[in-house]
Amino acid sequence: MSATTASLGASPGADVPATPVENKGLLTVAVMLATVMQILDTTIANVALPHMQTALGATADTITWVLTSYIVASAIAIPITGWLSDRFGSRNLFLFAVGGFVVASMLCGIATSLEEMVAFRVMQGIAAAFINPLSQTVMMDINPPSKQARAMTIWGQGIMVGPILGPVLGGWLTDNFDWRWCFYVNVPFGIVTFAVMWVLLPSKPLRPRRFDLVGFSLLALALSAFQIMLDRGQQLDWFDSWEVRIEAGLALAAAWMFGVHLFTAKHPMFDRAVLNNRNMATGLFFMVVIGVVMFATMALLPPMLQRIWDYPVVDAGMLLAPRGVGVLITMTVAGKLMGKVDPRWLVGTGLAIAALSLWQMTTWSLGMDRTWIIISGTVQGLGMGLVFMPLNLTAFATLDPKYRTEGASLLNLFRSIGASAGISVVTTFLARNLQTSHADLAGYLTPFSLPAVDPSYAQTLGAAGDTILAMADAEVNRQALMIAYLDDFKLMMFVTILAVPLVILLRRPSRRPDMQHMVME
């Protein structure tokens, strides 16, 4: 009996996978390899940007399009994952995504100009957009309901650990080989992944439906305008620039029109059954919070460790590794507790632990050693690991299996939106608080506060005086930068705390594992 037939013939309440496979273990390895490979690529290139700028003849402003092009292309492509999967088959789409990602990675490695790199990164972003939703769907489909908690634990570990390892691997490859190896490293692993999936990945029944061109166009316009606004806002001083105002207006107008179209169209882009599911809708909100807390923190810490405490790139990456350890521990624990403990308690406790770690980070000082960085990182990992897996499983708990790909694409999209918005907000606050703190601290540089170095007298010493003033200004900058980082941590702490009470909006899954995806208490 084929996998499709088995799936269709299974009793709805039976503890059997939606899509049985013969070698589940090897297929799981291939799916997770594709997932980790794609997640790593969202951060692995960040540390190589200065080297790429020189090689591609770009400026400091234009080189950021290497990152922006990938993010925008991925954000636009994610929402159509469900339709493409139903129209052409999830197996075909997954193989296309992995193959396209490998080819695009190779092309990025051989790019000789910024224009080529941006074009290839767009290709890579489109292919990458399909990998996460499809990998999550496959992990759910090939496991029975009683094993889905463990499957989501494995999948979540790859999702959460990938961004932490990215800067470490990218820095090591750039220092020891060349920045191009940040892309070449995908090729051998991608070929192996593609070969295994070609042999083992099962097919699912097609579910052809009309493509919502109007909805897709509106959503693509909203997402692309929003992403470009976030990327350009800090450079153009936000709403003092007409470009940012226009992008914000386009994003708001297109998003509003898409929302109206979604709930009134005869054949909308997303099936309304997905959005009307309370657990899925609440899960989308929490994905935004996870994107803000996790990815914004990961965007702040590497440059902070390098600028404040002068850690090398690889050492800074290693100091972030304990977060991954914390994630692995609590995801494993959460997998064991699912079905025994109300997942709402797990999600709420995880958010509270994450808030605690951010509070610990608001107490950091310039003179502390790496011990406190490791401790707070481990605590934050423990919190985020306790949130991610139960939240994903609860979001799918009442959703019909045929909508899993659509649901997974929406969860990934909202996490991406949260990450982009969070990074932009904390970066903006960092820059503005740095200026404010610098002005405040500079006012204390007087002959009374610095009797050994009178600022007014130092100007009469010529070059020696300039050196003294430069050293004083550098220390003021360092102190002001530290204050700005602490203010960002405090902001994210409050966001996390405010999200905790909202776990009551989730509905509790049934304790019976074989009914977990159907019945709620």
Side-chain angles (χ1 to χ4, degrees):
M1 184 166 58
S2 68
T4 300
T5 306
S7 176
L8 294 174
S11 170
D15 187 28
V16 296
T19 311
V21 293
E22 294 181 1
N23 197 329
K24 184 175 69 175
L26 186 57
L27 180 58
T28 297
V29 171
V31 169
M32 289 310 305
L33 194 58
T35 303
V36 173
M37 181 176 64
Q38 183 271 328
I39 288 291
L40 279 174
D41 230 64
T42 60
T43 56
I44 195 173
N46 295 26
V47 296
L49 283 183
H51 302 271
M52 296 167 63
Q53 178 181 335
T54 302
L56 301 176
T59 65
D61 290 338
T62 58
I63 194 61
T64 58
W65 281 99
V66 173
L67 304 178
T68 305
S69 57
Y70 180 93
I71 294 172
V72 172
S74 183
I76 293 174
I78 284 177
I80 61 172
T81 306
W83 181 84
L84 289 173
S85 176
D86 290 340
R87 177 66 179 83
F88 299 103
S90 59
R91 169 186 163 86
N92 294 332
L93 182 60
F94 209 160
L95 289 172
F96 166 80
V98 173
F101 188 82
V102 172
V103 171
S105 297
M106 185 170 59
L107 292 174
C108 287
I110 63 176
T112 58
S113 68
L114 180 63
E115 291 77 13
E116 289 180 3
M117 176 61 78
V118 170
F120 298 148
R121 285 286 279 177
V122 168
M123 294 171 53
Q124 192 183 37
I126 293 173
F130 307 132
I131 292 178
N132 273 359
L134 291 172
S135 66
Q136 187 173 16
T137 303
V138 170
M139 293 293 286
M140 296 280 287
D141 285 345
I142 65 176
N143 286 278
S146 61
K147 302 294 184 183
Q148 286 179 359
R150 185 175 66 179
M152 284 298 95
T153 297
I154 296 172
W155 184 81
Q157 287 170 348
I159 292 292
M160 302 291 277
V161 174
I164 297 171
L165 297 180
V168 181
L169 182 59
W172 184 80
L173 289 172
T174 302
D175 289 344
N176 292 278
F177 296 96
D178 186 77
W179 65 265
R180 297 181 184 276
W181 277 97
C182 292
F183 300 105
Y184 289 149
V185 71
N186 295 325
V187 176
F189 293 104
I191 291 174
V192 172
T193 300
F194 185 89
V196 174
M197 292 175 63
W198 178 272
V199 175
L200 297 177
L201 193 64
S203 299
K204 292 174 64 177
L206 299 181
R207 197 163 62 98
R209 52 194 175 100
R210 186 180 302 174
F211 181 66
D212 182 12
L213 180 60
V214 173
F216 172 71
S217 300
L218 290 171
L219 184 58
L221 178 60
L223 291 173
S224 56
F226 180 69
Q227 293 284 357
I228 294 173
M229 179 194 74
L230 293 177
D231 183 71
R232 299 277 292 165
Q234 181 59 31
Q235 301 176 35
L236 302 177
D237 201 18
W238 291 101
F239 293 102
D240 288 340
S241 164
W242 271 106
E243 178 187 329
V244 174
R245 293 175 187 172
I246 292 171
E247 289 159 356
L250 284 174
L252 285 172
W256 172 260
M257 293 171 67
F258 173 75
V260 173
H261 175 81
L262 183 64
F263 288 98
T264 58
K266 188 175 182 180
H267 301 285
M269 186 173 178
F270 299 110
D271 197 301
R272 283 188 280 268
V274 179
L275 298 174
N276 289 334
N277 184 284
R278 194 170 85 182
N279 273 17
M280 177 58 68
T282 308
L284 296 178
F285 169 80
F286 279 111
M287 278 297 159
V288 174
V289 176
I290 289 176
V292 170
V293 175
M294 180 181 177
F295 288 92
T297 304
M298 291 306 300
L300 287 175
L301 286 177
M304 180 185 188
L305 295 177
Q306 295 171 61
R307 296 168 68 183
I308 298 291
W309 293 288
D310 294 324
Y311 287 112
V313 173
V314 176
D315 288 356
M318 293 302 295
L319 285 174
L320 301 179
R323 273 176 170 70
V325 176
V327 167
L328 294 175
I329 291 173
T330 46
M331 276 198 172
T332 303
V333 171
K336 301 288 186 182
L337 293 177
M338 285 299 294
K340 302 176 183 177
V341 178
D342 188 338
R344 293 173 294 187
W345 281 103
L346 298 177
V347 174
T349 302
L351 289 171
I353 294 173
L356 173 63
S357 72
L358 289 166
W359 173 80
Q360 290 177 324
M361 293 164 70
T362 62
T363 66
W364 284 0
S365 65
L366 293 170
M368 73 176 192
D369 60 24
R370 63 180 64 196
T371 302
W372 295 105
I373 300 173
I374 295 172
I375 291 174
S376 62
T378 304
V379 172
Q380 189 170 87
L382 292 171
M384 298 310 295
L386 204 58
V387 171
F388 195 76
M389 193 281 292
L391 181 62
N392 270 276
L393 203 59
T394 305
F396 285 103
T398 53
L399 193 66
D400 192 303
K402 68 182 180 181
Y403 297 127
R404 281 176 181 165
T405 303
E406 279 192 53
S409 66
L410 282 170
L411 288 172
N412 281 276
L413 174 62
F414 274 70
R415 190 179 73 243
S416 175
I417 291 173
S420 298
I423 291 172
S424 179
V425 168
V426 298
T427 302
T428 300
F429 270 83
L430 182 70
R432 296 191 175 183
N433 288 340
L434 172 60
Q435 295 176 353
T436 302
S437 299
H438 186 280
D440 292 340
L441 293 175
Y444 291 97
L445 292 181
T446 67
F448 302 101
S449 61
L450 293 174
V453 183
D454 185 340
S456 60
Y457 178 70
Q459 295 176 356
T460 66
L461 300 179
D466 292 340
T467 302
I468 293 173
L469 291 176
M471 292 174 62
D473 184 64
E475 182 58 27
V476 169
N477 276 328
R478 184 166 171 261
Q479 298 276 355
L481 186 60
M482 186 69 184
I483 294 172
Y485 275 117
L486 298 183
D487 287 341
D488 269 357
F489 296 147
K490 188 178 296 184
L491 172 65
M492 289 188 288
M493 178 188 71
F494 286 129
V495 170
T496 308
I497 291 173
L498 291 174
V500 173
L502 298 179
V503 297
I504 61 175
L505 298 177
L506 293 169
R507 299 177 66 190
R508 181 182 178 183
S510 168
R511 294 181 182 229
R512 290 179 54 193
D514 61 324
M515 299 291 286
Q516 188 168 326
H517 65 293
M518 298 175 59
V519 182
M520 308 298 287
E521 294 181 353

